[in-house]
Amino acid sequence: MTRRLIIALCCFVSIHLQAQHSFSVKEAQDYGLQNNRDIKNASLDVDIASKQMLETISVGLPQINAEAQWQKYIEVPTLLLPTQDPNVLNEMKFGIPHTTSANITASQLLFNGSYIVGLKAAKSFMNFAVLSKNFTTSQIKDSIATAYFNVLLARENRDFLENIVEVHKDIVFEMEALYINGFIEDLEVDRMSLVLSQMKMQYGSMQRRTQVSEIYLKLILGVPINEVLVLTDDLPSLLKTSISFQLEEAIIENRLEYQMAELKVKLKELDMRRYQTDKLPTVAAFAAFGSSAMGNDFTAFDKTTNWYPSQLVGIKISLPIFDGLGGMSRIQQASLKYEQAKNDRAHIEEQLELAYISAQSNYLNAINDYNHQETNLSLTKKIYDKTLVKYREGLVSSLELAQAGTDYLETSTNFSNSIHNLLISNLNYQRSLGK
């Protein structure tokens, strides 16, 4: 007895020492967003876009380069110079064997139309990366909420099936006793045993489904599989929130899908302007400062060596005159892509309008179906409870009890499906409003 007590105490302690995570729906979403790899990659995309914008900006900043060079002629080049005699040429060595030079060059872009447009495009691309991250965040939050609902429903169904299986186990046990004593036929025992077998099969299936749904929720949250997951929101409170509704008008401009399509139009327009500005001149300033040392021997580091300075400054203006119609072709292509982007935006706007109408309709239907199934469940439970009492009083047959149990089980399944549809349709409806 003492050994059993010690074992039970150890099991109790180990269970309570096991790590636990408690989440409401919102807490689960917040936790999942911190650990989800898709969100991490989306954040990295924003950082990459930021660095790309800095790269674009750097083109318009001063460019400074330093260069040092040493060269030695293995054989000094020979030049031929004319003399008074046309048939005679003088041979002269031209150059110094050793030459050392050091230069610093700087350039500054003063005007370039493509660069100005590129800055605007880089900023828009940065905004697009942020929108993409927000869109991914929205999808992950919906996935977490759906997984959370599925766990609650699976647990609810599992507990319901466990209870009804226990009730029918007692009924079969009682019937077997009655059969042994000759009060009922074996047909009634077999009929009720068949119903119990079907209930056990459904219960086993629901146990496995519950386990899978819990593991999936842990994975999407980033919680270790061997840890305990405690869900603090319950179905009644979630259903109360879902049913308490007020129909609203959708604000399509708030939908991330629309904002992304709008930004794509802007990017295509900037791309078209970039090719158009290629026709404008490019103006840049430059300067170079250097010094060279020369001699028959390498004396660059000698104090007596003479260094000969050179300095220059200038402005360069380049203007494209004719590029073989390639520039015009690029402008036309960009213009056509710009029109495509506008068409895509209009198409997405229509799709979002349709999605809103459909989501609202599905939501209202889900509420009606939930109320209907809730009434049906209440009635079938009432019928089942009364039939069970009457059966034990000998007023109804086992066939009627089996049918009542089957109806109760089927109605419970329909009610569970209606809860799932209501929670998901409410989620979709809120999303269609642009929230």
Side-chain angles (χ1 to χ4, degrees):
M1 184 68 181
T2 304
R3 184 180 178 185
R4 291 181 180 178
L5 182 61
I6 293 174
I7 294 173
L9 182 61
C10 291
C11 292
F12 177 80
V13 172
S14 65
I15 290 172
H16 282 266
L17 287 177
Q18 190 175 6
Q20 290 187 354
H21 289 273
S22 298
F23 297 114
S24 64
V25 174
K26 186 179 184 309
E27 290 170 345
Q29 290 173 331
D30 294 340
Y31 184 89
L33 293 179
Q34 294 175 0
N35 297 277
N36 187 271
R37 289 185 177 85
D38 290 335
I39 297 296
K40 290 180 179 179
N41 285 337
S43 298
L44 291 175
D45 285 338
V46 174
D47 293 338
I48 291 171
S50 175
K51 302 306 178 185
Q52 289 176 337
M53 186 168 66
L54 291 176
E55 181 184 2
T56 303
I57 292 173
S58 69
V59 174
L61 299 178
Q63 310 293 312
I64 302 175
N65 297 289
E67 180 184 85
Q69 179 177 299
W70 167 78
Q71 68 178 33
K72 177 184 178 181
Y73 282 116
I74 304 299
E75 184 69 33
V76 177
T78 300
L79 292 182
L80 297 179
L81 300 177
T83 64
Q84 292 180 350
D85 186 348
N87 298 319
V88 179
L89 297 174
N90 284 336
E91 297 179 355
M92 295 187 62
K93 295 288 186 179
F94 185 80
I96 300 296
H98 291 272
T99 303
T100 306
S101 63
N103 299 281
I104 294 179
T105 60
S107 62
Q108 172 63 58
L109 184 66
L110 300 179
F111 176 79
N112 182 276
S114 296
Y115 173 71
I116 296 172
V117 175
L119 285 178
K120 295 180 180 179
K123 184 178 180 181
S124 296
F125 185 74
M126 174 75 180
N127 293 335
F128 187 82
V130 173
L131 284 178
S132 297
K133 177 189 174 183
N134 294 338
F135 183 69
T136 302
T137 299
S138 175
Q139 290 181 316
I140 296 300
K141 288 176 68 175
D142 287 351
S143 297
I144 292 173
T146 300
Y148 194 103
F149 299 155
N150 289 339
V151 172
L152 288 178
L153 282 167
R155 289 178 178 178
E156 185 85 5
N157 290 333
R158 178 198 61 192
D159 295 342
F160 168 78
L161 288 168
E162 183 179 14
N163 291 332
I164 199 170
V165 164
E166 290 300 322
V167 170
H168 278 258
K169 276 184 180 179
D170 293 340
I171 293 173
V172 171
F173 180 77
E174 294 171 2
M175 293 179 71
E176 287 174 343
L178 291 173
Y179 167 71
I180 292 173
N181 292 312
F183 291 103
I184 60 174
E185 297 181 0
D186 60 346
L187 177 62
E188 294 192 44
V189 178
D190 292 340
R191 182 185 294 124
M192 192 57 63
S193 296
L194 178 60
V195 173
L196 177 60
S197 176
Q198 292 173 338
M199 290 179 175
K200 284 182 177 180
M201 183 182 65
Q202 291 183 1
Y203 172 59
S205 176
M206 189 53 63
Q207 279 184 310
R208 291 186 290 273
R209 185 182 300 178
T210 303
Q211 184 180 19
V212 170
S213 62
E214 289 177 348
I215 291 175
Y216 177 74
L217 180 57
K218 289 177 183 179
L219 289 176
I220 199 172
L221 292 178
V223 174
I225 295 177
N226 60 342
E227 295 186 4
V228 177
L229 200 61
V230 178
L231 307 185
T232 57
D233 280 342
D234 55 21
L235 285 175
S237 61
L238 293 173
L239 287 169
K240 184 178 180 181
T241 303
S242 297
I243 295 177
S244 301
F245 73 98
Q246 182 177 0
L247 294 180
E248 303 176 42
E249 288 295 327
I251 305 176
I252 300 301
E253 291 76 12
N254 289 346
R255 294 291 299 270
L256 292 172
E257 297 93 327
Y258 179 83
Q259 293 175 11
M260 293 171 70
E262 179 74 21
L263 201 49
K264 284 182 180 179
V265 171
K266 185 175 181 181
L267 286 170
K268 293 301 181 183
E269 181 183 11
L270 290 171
D271 195 42
M272 180 180 64
R273 289 183 180 179
R274 176 170 67 90
Y275 290 121
Q276 290 173 340
T277 55
D278 284 343
K279 300 293 184 181
L280 299 177
T282 298
V283 183
F286 61 90
F289 304 91
S291 187
S292 300
M294 295 166 284
N296 291 323
D297 299 313
F298 180 74
T299 58
F301 298 110
D302 292 349
K303 294 181 179 180
T304 58
T305 299
N306 291 326
W307 287 83
Y308 302 97
S310 63
Q311 301 179 6
L312 67 87
V313 294
I315 293 179
K316 179 182 178 181
I317 301 176
S318 59
L319 178 65
I321 302 299
F322 182 70
D323 60 358
L325 300 179
M328 181 62 67
S329 176
R330 287 189 291 271
I331 292 173
Q332 291 172 346
Q333 291 180 58
S335 177
L336 293 173
K337 291 179 181 179
Y338 175 51
E339 293 299 323
Q340 281 183 331
K342 289 195 292 185
N343 290 334
D344 290 340
R345 179 185 59 187
H347 181 59
I348 288 176
E349 186 175 5
E350 293 172 352
Q351 285 184 321
L352 293 176
E353 288 282 359
L354 178 61
Y356 161 69
I357 296 173
S358 177
Q360 185 183 77
S361 176
N362 292 337
Y363 179 45
L364 294 175
N365 290 337
I367 292 175
N368 291 332
D369 184 55
Y370 168 76
N371 291 330
H372 175 68
Q373 296 298 337
E374 185 180 33
T375 302
N376 288 348
L377 181 64
S378 178
L379 291 174
T380 52
K381 183 180 184 306
K382 184 178 179 182
I383 293 170
Y384 174 76
D385 291 340
K386 287 187 175 181
T387 304
L388 181 60
V389 171
K390 289 184 176 181
Y391 172 79
R392 284 175 172 161
E393 292 176 351
L395 300 178
V396 296
S397 67
S398 61
L399 179 61
E400 292 177 89
L401 178 60
Q403 185 61 50
T406 302
D407 292 343
Y408 185 31
L409 197 62
E410 182 180 352
T411 307
S412 176
T413 300
N414 293 337
F415 180 63
S416 178
N417 291 336
S418 71
I419 292 176
H420 182 269
N421 292 335
L422 175 56
L423 293 173
I424 299 302
S425 62
N426 179 48
L427 203 64
N428 292 335
Y429 177 62
Q430 298 301 321
R431 192 69 59 213
S432 73
L433 294 174
K435 294 184 176 180

